[in-house]
Amino acid sequence: MINLTPQLTTQQLTDPMQPEPFRVKRVMKESYDTFTLEMEPVNSERLFTFAPGQFNMLYIFGVGEIPISISGDPNQPAMLVHTTRIVGAVTKAMSKLKTGDVLGVRGPFGTGWPVSAAKGCDVVLVAGGIGLAPLRPVLYQMLAHRDRYGKVVLLYGCRSPEDILFRKELEKWRARFDLEIFVTVDYGDSDWHGNVGVVTKLIPKAPFDALNTVAMVCGPEVMMRFTAIELQKRGVQGEAIALSMERNMKCAIGLCGHCQFGPTFICKDGPVFTYPQLQSWLAQWEI
Amino acid sequence: MTLNTNSSTKYVLESTDFQQLIDVLVGIGYRVIGPTFDHNAVIYDDITAVTDLPIGWTDEQDAATYRLSRRSDEAFFGYVIAPQSWKKFLYPSQVRLWQAALSNGSFEILPDSEKPEPMAFIGVRSCELHAIAIQDRVFIEGEYVDPTYHAHRENLFIVAVNCGQAGGTCFCTSVNTGPKVEAGYDLALTEVIDHETHYFVVEVGTERGQHVLEQLPVRTADKREAKLPKTITDQAAHQIKRHLNTDGIKELLYTNSENPRWDEIATRCLTCANCTMVCPTCFCTTVEDVSDLTGQQAERIRKWDSCFTMDFSYIHGGSVRYTSKSRYRQWMTHKLATWIDQFGTLGCVGCGRCITWCPVGIDITAELEAIRQTKAKGETIKEGSDENIG
Amino acid sequence: MRTLDELLHEHEFFKGFKPEHLELMAGCATNVIFEAGEYIFREGENADVFYVIRHGHVALEIHDPRRGPIAIDTLQENDVLGWSWLFAPYHWHFDAKAIKLTRAVAMDGKCLRTKCENDHTLGYLMMQRFATVLADRLQQTRLQVLKLYD
């Protein structure tokens, strides 16, 4: 079983329910409904160390707080980076933030992707939609220590060509010889010359050695279920597949009860789990 | 007065001296909380005098039934348990976690400086002691500590009172949480009342308890009196009518998420959340972030929440548990199965409140049994049909 | 230059076919090449062929009068293109366009249908292979219609 405990010791939080103010340094529009915020602490020189896969609770003053995974580079802890899609009141308010505005941050919380367990293995990242955001730190980490891993493959599916996140970065990475990137969209227009179809379709042909692969999967739950099945068909061991789960969260420290999924608390036992930890529960409705 | 400090020694406190217990606790600086008669119910609230106790009252409890009636005696603790548990003091239903104010283009968190008053509970039943121990595991003994609970709990003085009778919805004997108090108290009392006498057998659980006892006009209990806590709680145990069969309980529920009984329960369950509000171990909360009209001040309020609401499992797009079937299943499976994986114990102490306060009288013990039986029936049908094929 | 049955032998779809079956198949095969942008077939046309793609990239499209062509699936090396040749009335349901230079082997449908009728072992094998392809495509399409990322 791969170990999902973050390799980095997270900062001891004085009161884990108190947000710390962070100032927005840059806002980047990723697509019509998705944006990235880069931010720095207002009152301290705190370096925001985190493990790829961990998340923060982001607070908009007087509006509310939601869990969002960290999408930045773990080797650049001076800048905290989050990528979010507008889905509700808080993310809507967040989308209106400008450079210089302040928001609250609690974290980092939760387990991380099995980045160190993947040493010496091929790595396949399967992302669906906004699920690419929590996997981006893994790519940064692997590119910073490229010699530690075998093949590194990203399979990324999204709605349409307009929804592709981090497009420039993906293009830059695609040009590298040591990174394989395959993108597919559900529906393509006449300008789209790439793949069309669901992301699981990319798995049978992707270049990795299934018996020596660690897979990290993030996207809608249905997509993750089918991805895990397809990866196993290819020969990847269930134990070598990690998934990142999402549920309602209020506290992020295992006390509010909202994020329970079977016996687990997604916030502290996850969000990253191995497939066998979740398998029996994923098949059930309304867990 | 000097007392024998052997912890197994028991003492006798006359009912006429009971006021002194309250006074000593008040004198030490405790906010004293105990049972009292209010709006035709026994509720736990602030008390200052013996006369605040529900003297001579008892409670009749059954599925969806609670009423008080007069006893034939003047017992102080002649009821079983209050509708609300002690949870409302240790983990209040609404707490302000912090306030914040905008300043210099940023915001500043203003922590609440209010220091919680030390509390003394009088009248904690054995099942309730177990419930507190269970919440200790959740709020104090895990990776993260809840500061509010911890602060209340650290300074808590507990005077437990053994059950002299069982309620109609009790099933503590099924889950080994009573009726006799065994641990987790500072002082434990057993009320003894008959025509001539009315006194309390006192047991000491801690040094703090010893310190309080030393300020009370007690005498050492004789051999007969020392046996009374066991005799009386044994009598109460024999009155218990309900039984929760815990054999293989976790596996039973883990393998029965699609049992047809859940659908049947859903036809009755109103998802009113009463069971979760009265449950002494249920710990779920939500937070509300609010601001004043000027938008300059904000605060975060934490409130009790319930897995029976639609909002509870809401993620963008909808609620994960959108049927009442799945919400009841979540609650019961959490109490009796997943809790074991999470915290090493059941999340149920057999207090029976969820049965009493369910407006349609859903009984967790009966439903578990129904699931067990439906499962058994399902297996029989399967075997039978195989035979027919053969 | 490789023979047609060698080309078929290398293709994923024909993996495990016996040499005699491959030889029979090769009798119905033609080597074809499509330029980028070229339509391989159009909706409604007679479907008397299927393609085993050797290299390239093909989009299956539906034309919508308001939105223009919408790509609903793409196929590549080692995929097969087209199954309408198997079922009456043998008409294409979509447009297929090469989006890159595409090399394929075209299999004559009529010829294959006759051979499958004459040799049911071969017919069963073909049906089995196509059923697998159809099941995979159906499953993928089901996921696609869920609009998971909305």
Side-chain angles (χ1 to χ4, degrees):
Chain A
M1 187 74 73
I2 45 183
N3 179 18
L4 299 175
T5 317
Q7 304 87 354
L8 301 161
T9 328
T10 54
Q11 287 92 339
Q12 202 52 53
L13 306 160
T14 43
D15 180 347
M17 287 306 283
Q18 286 185 9
E20 183 186 336
F22 273 62
R23 197 176 299 282
V24 175
K25 288 286 158 189
R26 199 149 76 103
V27 184
M28 285 157 287
K29 202 169 161 63
E30 302 290 352
S31 75
Y32 75 95
D33 65 353
T34 305
F35 56 95
T36 296
L37 298 176
E38 289 184 357
M39 49 194 122
E40 284 175 353
V42 171
N43 303 325
S44 66
E45 299 293 302
R46 174 183 176 185
L47 291 177
F48 205 97
T49 50
F50 69 96
Q54 287 195 297
F55 69 95
N56 283 322
M57 296 299 284
L58 299 188
Y59 168 67
I60 299 290
F61 191 82
V63 177
E65 192 186 50
I66 46 163
I68 312 255
S69 57
I70 304 168
S71 66
D73 185 346
N75 302 304
Q76 308 283 336
M79 191 66 82
L80 175 61
V81 183
H82 282 280
T83 303
T84 312
R85 190 156 80 99
I86 304 168
V87 290
V90 180
T91 45
K92 178 95 194 160
M94 215 172 270
S95 73
K96 291 179 178 155
L97 291 174
K98 295 181 295 292
T99 302
D101 288 345
V102 167
L103 72 168
V105 175
R106 295 196 287 130
F109 297 114
T111 53
W113 295 107
V115 173
S116 48
K119 277 180 200 159
C121 302
D122 287 355
V123 178
V124 56
L125 310 179
V126 190
I130 188 75
L132 182 59
L135 283 169
R136 190 168 70 161
V138 177
L139 281 169
Y140 287 130
Q141 183 84 342
M142 297 200 158
L143 290 177
H145 307 282
R146 187 61 192 86
D147 53 319
R148 292 181 190 166
Y149 308 95
K151 293 198 176 79
V152 177
V153 182
L154 169 67
L155 310 178
Y156 173 40
C158 60
R159 265 186 306 209
S160 73
E162 292 78 56
D163 292 299
I164 297 172
L165 298 181
F166 315 134
R167 197 184 255 265
K168 280 196 182 134
E169 215 163 14
L170 290 180
E171 276 164 13
K172 197 177 76 192
W173 284 338
R174 208 207 285 265
R176 291 175 68 124
F177 294 109
D178 57 358
L179 196 55
E180 305 266 4
I181 297 182
F182 300 91
V183 180
T184 183
V185 298
D186 276 355
Y187 303 94
D189 53 24
S190 51
D191 296 334
W192 174 247
H193 294 280
N195 293 302
V196 177
V198 288
V199 71
T200 50
K201 194 176 111 158
L202 302 174
I203 293 167
K205 291 178 185 172
F208 58 87
D209 172 9
L211 295 178
N212 187 36
T213 286
V214 170
M216 308 180 199
V217 187
C218 189
E221 217 165 294
V222 177
M223 168 258 169
M224 293 200 290
R225 277 183 354 229
F226 281 87
T227 298
I229 291 165
E230 207 58 53
L231 285 166
Q232 287 178 107
K233 269 198 219 162
R234 182 71 200 267
V236 180
Q237 298 297 304
E239 290 78 12
I241 301 172
L243 314 177
S244 182
M245 291 292 289
E246 182 189 11
R247 281 294 182 271
N248 186 313
M249 284 182 197
K250 297 292 180 196
C251 73
I253 54 176
L255 299 182
C256 80
H258 280 257
C259 69
Q260 286 180 82
F261 182 73
T264 68
F265 293 93
I266 303 282
C267 69
K268 67 182 175 93
D269 303 322
V272 179
F273 295 91
T274 64
Y275 183 55
Q277 283 178 284
L278 302 177
Q279 195 173 2
S280 66
W281 299 97
L282 279 172
Q284 298 178 39
W285 292 16
E286 297 186 73
I287 288 301
Chain B
M1 154 176 201
T2 313
L3 293 164
N4 181 349
T5 50
N6 182 342
S7 65
S8 65
T9 308
K10 299 188 177 78
Y11 305 90
V12 167
L13 175 74
E14 289 299 331
S15 63
T16 46
D17 295 326
F18 200 89
Q19 181 64 44
Q20 293 199 39
L21 171 61
I22 299 174
D23 294 343
V24 167
L25 292 170
V26 169
I28 293 171
Y30 288 112
R31 172 187 169 196
V32 178
I33 297 161
T36 186
F37 179 89
D38 187 22
H39 287 82
N40 285 313
V42 169
I43 63 155
Y44 302 148
D45 206 345
D46 291 87
I47 56 167
T48 52
V50 172
T51 49
D52 290 333
L53 298 173
I55 298 169
W57 288 100
T58 192
D59 48 4
E60 294 168 27
Q61 300 198 34
D62 206 338
T65 302
Y66 176 93
R67 67 172 60 89
L68 292 192
S69 56
R70 295 297 308 185
R71 292 171 61 94
S72 56
D73 59 25
E74 298 294 298
F76 294 177
F77 299 92
Y79 62 92
V80 179
I81 44 167
Q84 285 277 357
S85 73
W86 306 93
K87 178 173 86 173
K88 67 177 178 174
F89 300 105
L90 293 173
Y91 199 63
S93 61
Q94 184 165 327
V95 173
R96 184 167 66 204
L97 294 178
W98 43 258
Q99 290 175 282
L102 289 179
S103 66
N104 302 325
S106 179
F107 66 84
E108 202 185 336
I109 298 282
L110 318 162
D112 274 5
S113 54
E114 210 180 302
K115 254 196 130 183
E117 257 179 300
M119 294 184 286
F121 294 166
I122 297 181
V124 182
R125 302 298 192 185
S126 180
C127 61
E128 296 177 323
L129 284 174
H130 282 267
I132 292 170
I134 286 173
Q135 288 215 320
D136 287 352
R137 296 201 73 148
V138 177
F139 294 130
I140 301 177
E141 292 159 27
E143 200 180 330
Y144 292 97
V145 171
D146 182 79
T148 318
Y149 183 88
H150 189 233
H152 285 311
R153 185 67 181 93
E154 219 173 22
N155 300 312
L156 179 65
F157 190 93
I158 296 181
V159 181
V161 177
N162 272 316
C163 291
Q165 66 192 63
T169 55
C170 292
F171 57 98
C172 62
T173 41
S174 301
V175 288
N176 300 318
T177 58
K180 189 175 182 317
V181 299
E182 303 287 358
Y185 56 84
D186 294 295
L187 293 174
L189 312 180
T190 303
E191 186 168 21
V192 182
I193 187 163
D194 56 36
H195 301 304
E196 292 95 40
T197 55
H198 186 192
Y199 61 88
F200 292 86
V201 178
V202 187
E203 293 165 87
V204 182
T206 60
E207 267 180 43
R208 275 197 311 190
Q210 182 74 28
H211 173 71
V212 168
L213 186 87
E214 282 168 7
Q215 300 172 63
L216 297 175
V218 293
R219 62 172 170 80
T220 305
D222 64 25
K223 258 192 176 168
R224 188 191 64 86
E225 289 162 339
K227 282 182 187 157
L228 285 173
K230 184 167 185 328
T231 320
I232 287 173
T233 49
D234 279 352
Q235 279 167 13
H238 279 115
Q239 294 169 7
I240 289 176
K241 294 181 297 193
R242 287 175 209 266
H243 178 65
L244 185 85
N245 179 356
T246 58
D247 279 353
I249 195 166
K250 191 176 95 175
E251 291 68 29
L252 176 73
L253 288 166
Y254 278 7
T255 54
N256 273 279
S257 61
E258 294 307 318
N259 191 299
R261 186 69 183 184
W262 300 118
D263 294 298
E264 198 283 327
I265 301 169
T267 63
R268 289 174 284 140
C269 175
L270 309 174
T271 66
C272 70
N274 263 16
C275 50
T276 54
M277 297 294 107
V278 295
C279 178
T281 67
C282 270
F283 59 82
C284 291
T285 51
T286 187
V287 291
E288 278 176 16
D289 284 301
V290 289
S291 64
D292 67 2
L293 282 174
T294 65
Q296 297 298 301
Q297 299 266 342
E299 55 184 38
R300 177 167 297 168
I301 311 286
R302 184 182 66 198
K303 292 178 171 177
W304 286 359
D305 201 359
S306 171
C307 53
F308 280 91
T309 70
M310 279 285 268
D311 269 357
F312 190 83
S313 65
Y314 183 86
I315 43 177
H316 59 88
S319 292
V320 173
R321 296 183 203 104
Y322 50 86
T323 62
S324 47
K325 163 191 161 175
S326 73
R327 301 204 288 282
Y328 185 87
R329 183 183 67 184
Q330 165 62 26
W331 176 71
M332 185 160 144
T333 306
H334 188 211
K335 291 280 122 181
L336 303 180
T338 52
W339 205 296
I340 299 171
D341 276 339
Q342 293 169 352
F343 303 107
T345 64
L346 284 175
C348 173
V349 295
C351 72
R353 285 184 175 94
C354 57
I355 307 172
T356 301
W357 294 98
C358 176
V360 296
I362 296 172
D363 176 346
I364 191 172
T365 66
E367 296 310 336
L368 184 75
E369 191 53 26
I371 282 162
R372 207 180 276 279
Q373 293 309 321
T374 316
K375 179 197 166 214
K377 220 161 72 188
E379 279 170 357
T380 319
I381 291 163
K382 207 173 156 200
E383 281 163 22
S385 62
D386 282 352
E387 252 168 54
N388 291 341
I389 292 162
Chain C
M1 176 106 186
R2 279 168 299 177
T3 60
L4 278 165
D5 55 336
E6 277 170 350
L7 289 182
L8 294 182
H9 178 74
E10 287 164 11
H11 199 276
E12 194 76 26
F13 182 79
F14 292 107
K15 217 177 212 172
F17 268 52
K18 287 182 185 154
E20 60 265 35
H21 283 146
L22 282 175
E23 212 173 302
L24 275 175
M25 291 275 136
C28 301
T30 327
N31 229 332
V32 289
I33 185 161
F34 300 99
E35 298 295 334
E38 189 180 345
Y39 276 90
I40 301 170
F41 53 74
R42 303 302 280 254
E43 181 184 330
E45 288 175 356
N46 285 340
D48 42 20
V49 72
F50 82 90
Y51 300 92
V52 296
I53 302 173
R54 294 171 50 221
H55 299 290
H57 205 173
V58 177
L60 283 177
E61 295 177 348
I62 299 177
H63 187 267
D64 178 281
R66 289 178 302 121
R67 293 191 286 169
I70 305 159
I72 40 145
D73 201 359
T74 49
L75 302 169
Q76 289 170 62
E77 190 174 327
N78 274 326
D79 286 330
V80 294
L81 167 64
W83 59 70
S84 296
W85 68 279
L86 261 173
F87 311 104
Y90 314 115
H91 291 151
W92 294 121
H93 292 82
F94 305 110
D95 299 332
K97 185 173 82 178
I99 39 181
K100 275 200 287 199
L101 178 79
T102 299
R103 294 171 198 280
V105 178
M107 308 294 294
D108 182 324
K110 262 188 211 159
C111 167
L112 276 177
R113 287 199 296 267
T114 314
K115 291 196 172 165
C116 289
E117 281 302 333
N118 295 339
D119 180 348
H120 281 184
T121 310
L122 175 66
Y124 176 70
L125 206 54
M126 284 296 281
M127 275 302 193
Q128 209 180 30
R129 291 296 158 98
F130 267 95
T132 310
V133 171
L134 288 173
D136 282 349
R137 301 263 173 92
L138 176 61
Q139 206 188 63
Q140 289 161 7
T141 307
R142 281 174 173 165
L143 289 179
Q144 220 170 327
V145 299
L146 285 177
K147 298 193 170 178
L148 287 173
Y149 309 126
D150 284 1

